[in-house]
Amino acid sequence: KAGVTQTPRYLIKTRGQQVTLSCSPISGHRSVSWYQQTPGQGLQFLFEYFSETQRNKGNFPGRFSGRQFSNSRSEMNVSTLELGDSALYLCASSRGSGYTFGSGTRLTVV
Amino acid sequence: GQQLNQSPQSMFIQEGEDVSMNCTSSSIFNTWLWYKQDPGEGPVLLIALYKAGELTSNGRLTAQFGITRKDSFLNISASIPSDVGIYFCAGQHMDSNYQLIWGAGTKLIIKP
């Protein structure tokens, strides 16, 4: 059974650019959540999508956006990147209350 | 956003020792989850709890859903080097619209 797949695994971007990260959930999982994790920090919730609709949203600026497709795959976009956006971005999928995480995308902004 | 109070923040222990950590909340939760994260990887679900008072084991790990529904505990018996990592608690309460609320993590370090 395939797990949650995040691409790319690593990414280096320049300040001011925009970036799109992808997440393919476990088959049958309709909920996809995104988190930001900076070194030594916990998981900061970005947003959650369920059946192509944003169901929950964290306290991040509007530069962070996401969407979910009909096959439950999800993307998140960060526009006008800042140095502070450097982090591990994790997505997690769920069919109920237990969430399965991908390995994350390590974004470095230079 | 709302966070759970997870303690301790970090632990230095000897191999073979037992470990205990806990999470508390001011809200009543209907689900508690415990995750472990290795460096550079996503968290992995260890134990899920769905009923007040529930005690569940996964190998050397045991977790309990507090009877007040406002806390949960994770115990690791006879720690080994591969137990090193960050342990997170997470929960859902009735008003969270399925959103998980997370603790800040407990970093487990084994002394050589």
Side-chain angles (χ1 to χ4, degrees):
Chain A
K1 183 177 179 183
V4 178
T5 303
Q6 290 189 247
T7 57
R9 189 79 167 90
Y10 300 94
L11 202 52
I12 300 175
K13 287 286 189 178
T14 304
R15 213 170 13 166
Q17 286 186 313
Q18 68 95 25
V19 67
T20 299
L21 311 181
S22 178
C23 174
S24 293
I26 290 173
S27 178
H29 287 195
R30 294 163 66 189
S31 165
V32 174
S33 298
W34 288 90
Y35 293 86
Q36 182 196 66
Q37 187 177 36
T38 48
Q41 298 300 310
L43 298 163
Q44 304 300 314
F45 174 71
L46 282 153
F47 28 65
E48 182 211 0
Y49 286 87
F50 180 83
S51 293
E52 302 180 67
T53 300
Q54 189 179 84
R55 183 160 69 177
N56 288 295
K57 187 178 186 305
N59 297 320
F60 276 80
R63 299 185 297 108
F64 292 81
S65 63
R67 59 178 175 168
Q68 187 179 33
F69 302 95
S70 58
N71 61 357
S72 292
R73 190 177 71 85
S74 178
E75 290 180 346
M76 70 161 280
N77 184 280
V78 187
S79 63
T80 320
L81 284 165
E82 301 176 358
L83 295 179
D85 296 333
S86 295
L88 180 66
Y89 289 88
L90 293 160
C91 93
S93 74
S94 172
R95 194 169 53 185
S97 59
Y99 284 73
T100 302
F101 282 83
S103 296
T105 293
R106 171 74 62 187
L107 172 65
T108 302
V109 182
V110 297
Chain B
Q2 179 183 4
Q3 273 204 323
L4 301 174
N5 295 314
Q6 184 171 352
S7 63
Q9 189 173 17
S10 60
M11 303 181 70
F12 288 82
I13 61 168
Q14 297 277 6
E15 183 176 348
E17 286 185 350
D18 296 343
V19 173
S20 290
M21 60 191 78
N22 71 85
C23 275
T24 60
S25 169
S26 57
S27 304
I28 291 176
F29 277 58
N30 53 29
T31 300
W32 284 98
L33 306 171
W34 285 93
Y35 285 83
K36 182 192 177 212
Q37 185 178 28
D38 291 324
E41 296 292 331
V44 174
L45 181 64
L46 298 173
I47 294 178
L49 303 161
Y50 301 106
K51 286 174 56 178
E54 181 180 354
L55 186 71
T56 298
S57 292
N58 178 4
R60 294 178 295 104
L61 277 61
T62 302
Q64 184 164 26
F65 193 139
I67 199 73
T68 65
R69 299 174 66 188
K70 293 184 177 182
D71 56 8
S72 180
F73 303 88
L74 175 69
N75 296 316
I76 305 173
S77 63
S79 57
I80 60 177
S82 62
D83 290 335
V84 164
I86 303 176
Y87 293 79
F88 291 99
C89 64
Q92 289 175 323
H93 59 77
M94 284 186 294
D95 299 328
S96 69
N97 193 27
Y98 302 99
Q99 181 180 336
L100 281 180
I101 312 300
W102 290 83
T106 294
K107 188 172 185 177
L108 188 62
I109 303 159
I110 295 187
K111 290 183 276 191

